[in-house]
Amino acid sequence: STTLQRVQTLSIGSSSSAAWQATQPNVALSLSADGLLLTVGAPRQSTGSGRAGTAYVYACGAAATAGCDAAGATQLLPETGGFGQAIAAGAATADGLPAVVAVGAPETSPSGEVYVFELEDGGWRQVERLSPGGTAKDRYFGSAVALSGHLLAVGARLWSASVFQQGAVLLYERVGVAWSRVRGDLVASQPSFSANLGFSLVLSSQYIVAGSPDGTGEGTGSLVAFGAMDVVPPAVESVA
């Protein structure tokens, strides 16, 4: 059996500060597949400029006991509210694309946004600011994010199509330096009222699993899994 041990304790603020206490109920975490990046979202922390939310990126050692560079953490500053409610770290790819971090800001008017940062010359540069488009409001796009290789999955848990707030998962693919939306948004085959699909996400090269807190329509949650045929476009019908 494997025994886990505590390697390090990280803090993003003083426990006595109002800014840090505001992050306590809602802190997002993600570790890249290669274990070299730890990301922390703090959507309720003030950045001192009137903006709501922030995020941090830590570089970590390859050895199991190496820990992360707390002193050298990079702070990603937002341009809108709710930044950091969801966060995902992606490792550099075998074909030479750099490490990437995606940060959800689902409270951004009108429907939510996701910010994408890439590692360039030792620093993090914002390369994309994704939104679902259309005229519908309050979709909570960016309520969850997940990265795997060239794919980015984004939860929009308040998305309404055939059923009110049934939720959906939107896919983006990285081609070179651009992230393009994959045709065919993912929804439950039998959506229920206020199911909130996309509340949480797990993504691999073959599967997406999306959390749906009220997926049964009876006050109990469910998980909806989409296989490889769903991940590769154009596998499912697009949500209007």
Side-chain angles (χ1 to χ4, degrees):
S1 63
T2 301
T3 301
L4 298 178
Q5 62 177 349
R6 185 176 69 181
V7 175
Q8 188 178 17
T9 300
L10 298 172
S11 175
I12 60 173
S14 168
S15 60
S16 62
S17 71
W20 167 240
Q21 290 195 19
T23 72
Q24 295 274 338
N26 194 357
V27 175
L29 298 170
S30 179
L31 185 68
S32 61
D34 59 8
L36 299 181
L37 292 176
L38 171 66
T39 54
V40 180
R44 298 293 178 254
Q45 184 177 3
S46 171
T47 63
S49 61
R51 300 167 176 169
T54 189
Y56 298 86
V57 182
Y58 296 87
C60 303
T65 58
C68 302
D69 181 9
T74 299
Q75 184 177 13
L76 306 178
L77 295 177
E79 296 182 9
T80 187
F83 181 89
Q85 287 199 32
I87 197 164
T93 64
D95 55 356
L97 293 178
V100 61
V101 170
V103 186
E107 296 176 4
T108 307
S109 179
S111 302
E113 291 182 331
V114 170
Y115 293 75
V116 181
F117 300 83
E118 290 186 355
L119 186 61
E120 182 179 282
D121 298 327
W124 291 94
R125 181 175 68 92
Q126 180 184 319
V127 294
E128 290 281 5
R129 186 174 177 177
L130 305 173
S131 62
T135 58
K137 298 182 178 180
D138 302 324
R139 291 173 170 174
Y140 230 66
F141 174 86
S143 51
V145 290
L147 285 160
S148 179
H150 294 207
L151 288 177
L152 165 64
V154 179
R157 66 180 181 87
L158 299 187
W159 191 288
S160 298
S162 60
V163 178
F164 178 72
Q165 293 185 354
Q166 65 186 61
V169 178
L170 284 66
L171 291 175
Y172 294 82
E173 184 178 14
R174 178 166 58 170
V175 180
V177 297
W179 289 85
S180 300
R181 185 167 168 182
V182 173
R183 184 170 70 85
D185 306 326
L186 305 179
V187 297
S189 58
Q190 295 181 322
S192 59
F193 182 86
S194 294
N196 280 211
L197 180 73
F199 182 90
S200 55
L201 286 173
V202 177
L203 171 67
S204 73
S205 59
Q206 295 296 317
Y207 298 99
I208 296 174
V209 180
S212 182
D214 192 16
T216 64
E218 299 176 355
T220 57
S222 65
L223 297 174
V224 180
F226 301 93
M229 292 302 295
D230 299 312
V231 175
V232 178
V236 293
E237 184 176 352
S238 178
V239 180

